[in-house]
Amino acid sequence: MQQGSLTTAAHALVETLSAIARRQHEHRERTVSRLSAVLASRLLPEDLVELATYYLAKAQRDLGLTDDSRRGMQRVAAAGGRLAFAAGRGLAHLSRLSGDFPAAVEAAGRLGWPGRHQRVLGDVWWVQGDMDRAEAAYLADRSEAEQHAVEGERAMVQAHLAFAVAFTDPCGPMTSSTWQTGCCRASACAPPS
């Protein structure tokens, strides 16, 4: 849809949802262009501006437009709406990407469970090469996900955990007990008898 064809709120909504749905199939520059046009049109209902702003900021981050991305994430986080915690994670990741690890750790600490603070901390420690701390954070996130019965988060952090464990316990493949405990140091590394 061309910017000139955005004439109603309905058009703006359709373009927003289409850009978000297609973002994994189009170059991020296209997503930025489409969502920027929607926001510039000022046709999107106010309660949906946050949605377009958040996904625009994500695409900008992927393109290395960190200042633009940070401004968008800050707007969404400050609004306190449905995507505020996701934007808080985005701000932590932007700090991590820029090498400001103290700011990333601080931002993660403000997220709490709703913002998946333990997963964000695991990502910070992983990049620092502190795999033991990353593993501990991922285990804590998995435990919280189980407590809150959020299977999607549990599955996602399990993948992160498997990666961290591959560095902390490289003696063998993840076993079914590893999936439960998060580590296999004692049994997998013991020499065969």
Side-chain angles (χ1 to χ4, degrees):
M1 189 176 283
Q2 300 295 323
Q3 183 174 354
S5 62
L6 292 176
T7 57
T8 67
H11 290 143
L13 176 58
V14 167
E15 181 66 0
T16 298
L17 296 176
S18 175
I20 292 169
R22 297 281 313 147
R23 74 185 195 284
Q24 300 299 333
H25 306 284
E26 296 178 335
H27 194 281
R28 295 301 192 271
E29 288 177 354
R30 177 82 174 118
T31 302
V32 167
S33 175
R34 293 175 75 184
L35 292 174
S36 294
V38 167
L39 290 168
S41 76
R42 298 190 183 276
L43 291 169
L44 203 58
E46 189 57 39
D47 57 339
L48 294 174
V49 168
E50 169 190 25
L51 180 71
T53 302
Y54 173 74
Y55 281 99
L56 171 60
K58 280 186 67 143
Q60 289 167 327
R61 182 183 67 201
D62 292 344
L63 290 171
L65 304 171
T66 55
D67 291 338
D68 293 333
S69 178
R70 185 172 282 108
R71 281 189 292 277
M73 292 290 183
Q74 286 169 337
R75 276 193 297 274
V76 173
R82 289 184 346 256
L83 293 171
F85 285 114
R89 274 194 309 276
L91 289 167
H93 288 303
L94 284 164
S95 293
R96 178 179 53 84
L97 289 170
S98 69
D100 189 350
F101 295 101
V105 170
E106 181 185 337
R110 290 189 306 264
L111 293 171
W113 159 250
R116 309 309 191 252
H117 64 122
Q118 294 291 352
R119 176 167 39 99
V120 174
L121 282 172
D123 293 346
V124 170
W125 299 130
W126 172 79
V127 172
Q128 289 292 299
D130 192 337
M131 295 304 183
D132 290 323
R133 284 172 98 175
E135 180 182 334
Y138 293 143
L139 279 168
D141 186 69
R142 185 179 69 186
S143 177
E144 288 180 349
E146 289 168 350
Q147 290 170 3
H148 293 277
V150 181
E151 289 303 315
E153 178 66 18
R154 183 183 183 281
M156 181 169 30
V157 78
Q158 185 63 47
H160 291 231
L161 178 59
F163 189 74
V165 169
F167 285 95
T168 61
D169 189 12
C171 299
M174 297 277 283
T175 65
S176 61
S177 65
T178 306
W179 289 103
Q180 297 303 314
T181 64
C183 62
C184 59
R185 287 178 180 85
S187 61
C189 295
S193 46

